[in-house]
Amino acid sequence: MNVPQQFPFARQSAGTAPARRPGSIRRTTSIDSDWPDGFGQPWEMKGRARDLLTPAQGDPVVLAAGSMDIRTSPIREILEISAIPDHPRLAEMVGVRAGGASRHALAATLGDMRGTPIFQLLDDFAGASLVAGWNWSLWIDNWRERIRGNVQQTSVRKGQMVNICTGFTEGASSLTDDGSPDHINQSSTEVGPLANPDDPAGWHAMPDQAGRPQARRARRIDIWRAEGVLKVDAGFQDSGPNPQGTRTAIHEYRVYAEVDEDSETLVSLQALPLILPYRECPGASIKAARMIGQPVGAFREAVLDTLAGPLGCTHLNDVLRALADVPVLARMLPKRHN
């Protein structure tokens, strides 16, 4: 697998998205969170997604697009939800709480939308809502007291996070003496824009975020054929504006993978940790290799089984789970000419 040699060290962003390759499909998704009534109140999550084919010749073609709007409670329950395209059972998601419950409800209620960009957005509600409130730490002075109360309110473990992932392994620097997460001393990094100025069509349109606490979970998946396999280049970032007028990220990964197109199994994987909050977090990227040999289409469930607890990273797991749609996207690639 050919990985660019100029790849940056950890705690440094990968920067703008690479230019689209001829003969490729790019899926981009974003979920923006905003708190019009302030921290600790219900908030709004607006998701946008697009699948874009870049043919070998000619103009790019939008294959699919979608959007969602969710109003969620402080304990991450869906209060209101709408989506484009709509689904006759979408309203059944109201009252569902983010996490395992939302993923199970999504599969049971809207499983016929698997593979679509709107399903990816809805699946990402769990992870995006989990981390969204972090951005407030950049904006308010009494963040320590405010976040402790919020964690107690929103966590099914009442703030106990021990062994839920690699970063929160027992004894890790991420944990306080009582086993709750140390939100104050986590690391973050200033980042630039995701859109490549030399490839303005490379991302779907995203609203400007500035001047107030907001959050954005952005995801990109490129797939193309080369060297007899499907090549995958995926980027992921959790970020938001800061009071200095720039942006700060708390999570960023870059993942390179190869998938056997006939069997749809993962044949190689390199997960590169770029920006993560604690020194233990990058260890999850090594364990991700356990997914090699498994069918990619089953990743939404298989990743959670294989990389459970301290074996995985909540956010890297989400990156890998999103690869479940690679076989669906690959079927829309132009046919190979022998």
Side-chain angles (χ1 to χ4, degrees):
M1 178 170 53
N2 296 321
V3 178
Q5 295 302 307
Q6 71 274 21
F7 198 83
F9 294 102
R11 301 192 187 280
Q12 180 177 337
S13 174
T16 60
R20 289 169 293 122
R21 299 168 176 81
S24 70
I25 290 177
R26 171 172 292 182
R27 168 171 291 178
T28 53
T29 68
S30 63
I31 299 178
D32 289 2
S33 293
D34 189 17
W35 290 258
D37 299 319
F39 182 73
Q41 301 301 312
W43 82 88
E44 300 170 355
M45 303 180 72
K46 296 182 179 294
R48 303 293 180 265
R50 185 190 68 184
D51 292 344
L52 187 71
L53 168 67
T54 302
Q57 296 181 339
D59 296 330
V61 178
V62 175
L63 301 174
S67 65
M68 73 168 193
D69 289 87
I70 291 177
R71 184 169 178 266
T72 182
S73 75
I75 60 172
R76 301 164 61 215
E77 288 177 331
I78 296 176
L79 302 176
E80 300 173 17
I81 186 170
S82 62
I84 301 174
D86 197 3
H87 189 283
R89 299 185 63 187
L90 185 64
E92 296 179 33
M93 296 295 293
V94 172
V96 173
R97 187 169 177 172
S102 65
R103 292 190 180 109
H104 289 308
L106 183 62
T109 306
L110 306 175
D112 57 332
M113 298 181 73
R114 281 179 179 263
T116 65
I118 186 61
F119 189 90
Q120 172 59 53
L121 282 175
L122 293 167
D123 183 82
D124 232 1
F125 163 64
S129 62
L130 176 66
V131 73
W134 155 82
N135 188 254
W136 282 83
S137 66
L138 306 177
W139 292 82
I140 58 179
D141 294 333
N142 62 336
W143 173 248
R144 183 187 296 271
E145 290 73 21
R146 298 285 295 275
I147 190 63
R148 279 179 177 169
N150 195 55
V151 167
Q152 291 290 329
Q153 183 182 25
T154 61
S155 174
V156 294
R157 296 175 179 236
K158 302 300 181 185
Q160 296 298 309
M161 304 285 281
V162 179
N163 291 329
I164 68 163
C165 65
T166 297
F168 288 115
T169 303
E170 186 174 1
S173 64
S174 57
L175 296 167
T176 61
D177 292 340
D178 65 1
S180 61
D182 183 0
H183 289 288
I184 307 305
N185 295 311
Q186 57 191 359
S187 174
S188 59
T189 301
E190 185 172 315
V191 296
L194 293 173
N196 188 330
D198 296 325
D199 185 21
W203 273 90
H204 62 275
M206 292 182 284
D208 178 60
Q209 287 186 322
R212 55 184 294 178
Q214 298 180 70
R216 172 171 293 157
R217 168 161 290 204
R219 190 182 302 284
R220 171 189 56 80
I221 301 176
D222 287 342
I223 67 166
W224 68 99
R225 295 188 181 97
E227 302 170 12
V229 295
L230 289 172
K231 299 277 190 173
V232 181
D233 174 355
F236 162 85
Q237 185 187 87
D238 282 323
S239 69
N242 57 47
Q244 292 72 45
T246 57
R247 296 188 69 82
T248 301
I250 187 71
H251 302 117
E252 184 173 340
Y253 279 102
R254 189 81 172 265
V255 170
Y256 297 92
E258 293 176 346
V259 177
D260 180 82
E261 190 167 6
D262 293 331
S263 66
E264 299 182 348
T265 58
L266 183 69
V267 296
S268 70
L269 178 70
Q270 185 167 11
L272 302 174
L274 296 176
I275 298 171
L276 294 169
Y278 305 107
R279 64 173 180 263
E280 293 84 2
C281 294
S285 62
I286 300 172
K287 302 165 191 172
R290 297 178 185 221
M291 298 306 302
I292 293 174
Q294 299 198 42
V296 175
F299 268 25
R300 291 203 187 277
E301 294 77 25
V303 167
L304 298 179
D305 292 336
T306 304
L307 302 176
L311 293 177
C313 162
T314 302
H315 310 292
L316 177 56
N317 283 2
D318 277 349
V319 177
L320 299 175
R321 292 178 68 253
L323 301 186
D325 293 344
V326 165
V328 175
L329 293 171
R331 288 192 275 276
M332 294 186 283
L333 281 171
K335 297 296 183 182
R336 289 171 291 191
H337 298 288
N338 298 323

